[in-house]
Amino acid sequence: IKIPIILITTHLVAFVLDSFSCSYIHFKRTVGKESTMAAKPVIKVVAICGSLRKASYHRGLLRAAMELSESIDGLLIEYVDISPLPMLNTDLEVDGKYPPAVEAFRRKILQSDCFLFASPEYNYSITALLKNAIDWASRPPNVWANKAAAILSAGGLFGGGLAQYHLRQVGVFLDLHFINKPEFSLYAFQPPAKFDDGGNLTDPEAKKRLKLVLLSLKAFTLRLQQDD
């Protein structure tokens, strides 16, 4: 059987075009999927602890938060140590520059999207350590401004709640926007035990509550960014 060359050529061209079209569609879908994944926002959270104690419950809360964040898409928590910061003294500001430890801390704050404070309660208020860090980062230009934040506390009678409200009050001047709900105050000294001897959070219910705080912080941060 003799098949006209023109017919063979037509079918060959159609086959090639069809293969090219399928490959192109697959390419577009693959690239589109990769672009979507690449464009997915990553919320950078700076975690700050107001306690120096080695087995601090508040450090334990932040460790638990960092572990839980691994199961939350698009959330990255970095713990920033504030213990190297000198006590605030404007004499240390020379030619518009701050001490190296302060400059490094301020840079971390500036580059973050939001904050997670672990705030102990001392005498119904926040600790000197935490207040010092807050004050250094509020020096001109204020690098806290217009960002979201959440607070974690563990303690006795009020679970650290009074310190949280004082921190919120400080946040008004800083132009920090704290999530309102859920609040996280943990009564650390009531049975059953909430932490082990190393200060690690062991209470399953507290971990569930903590994850809800992180989800709320992520959602609120994205809202603020969209409003800008």
Side-chain angles (χ1 to χ4, degrees):
I1 300 173
K2 292 184 178 180
I3 301 175
I5 293 176
I6 189 168
L7 185 60
I8 294 174
T9 304
T10 301
H11 280 288
L12 183 59
V13 169
F15 174 77
V16 171
L17 288 175
D18 187 60
S19 298
F20 176 80
S21 176
C22 290
S23 299
Y24 179 69
I25 291 171
H26 177 71
F27 172 77
K28 277 191 71 177
R29 285 175 178 171
T30 302
V31 171
K33 187 177 180 182
E34 289 176 354
S35 298
T36 301
M37 291 175 65
K40 186 174 258 185
V42 175
I43 302 301
K44 292 179 289 186
V45 186
V46 161
I48 298 172
C49 182
S51 174
L52 291 172
R53 192 168 67 89
K54 287 182 180 179
S56 164
Y57 290 167
H58 291 82
R59 282 290 302 275
L61 289 176
L62 292 182
R63 282 194 299 273
M66 293 172 77
E67 291 171 6
L68 290 167
S69 70
E70 294 175 3
S71 64
I72 300 175
D73 214 17
L75 196 69
L76 181 64
I77 301 178
E78 178 186 2
Y79 173 76
V80 175
D81 184 11
I82 59 175
S83 62
L85 297 175
M87 289 301 292
L88 191 141
N89 180 353
T90 53
D91 289 342
L92 299 177
E93 301 174 23
V94 181
D95 297 328
K97 292 185 178 181
Y98 300 99
V102 175
E103 289 283 5
F105 175 66
R106 287 173 56 85
R107 195 158 45 247
K108 288 286 186 184
I109 299 303
L110 184 62
Q111 293 170 352
S112 70
D113 296 303
C114 57
F115 312 104
L116 183 62
F117 293 99
S119 176
E121 182 178 307
Y122 288 7
N123 301 321
Y124 291 179
S125 185
I126 59 179
T127 65
L129 176 72
L130 181 55
K131 184 62 164 60
N132 185 57
I134 288 171
D135 290 345
W136 269 125
S138 72
R139 296 291 297 158
N142 171 26
V143 290
W144 299 108
N146 202 32
K147 293 182 180 180
I151 315 171
L152 311 174
S153 292
L157 183 60
F158 300 109
L162 294 180
Q164 287 199 23
Y165 293 137
H166 195 180
L167 182 52
R168 286 174 180 272
Q169 181 183 348
V170 173
V172 172
F173 184 80
L174 300 175
D175 197 23
L176 262 178
H177 307 294
F178 287 97
I179 63 168
N180 289 325
K181 300 292 180 185
E183 294 179 282
F184 189 98
S185 294
L186 186 62
Y187 298 100
F189 307 114
Q190 295 178 351
K194 309 299 189 301
F195 299 86
D196 64 19
D197 292 340
N200 299 299
L201 183 65
T202 56
D203 184 63
E205 188 60 34
K207 289 184 179 181
K208 289 180 184 177
R209 291 174 52 209
L210 181 49
K211 186 169 183 178
L212 292 176
V213 170
L214 298 179
L215 290 169
S216 179
L217 177 60
K218 177 187 173 183
F220 190 39
T221 302
L222 289 172
R223 256 178 55 198
L224 287 178
Q225 292 177 343
Q226 289 168 0
D227 291 342
D228 282 348

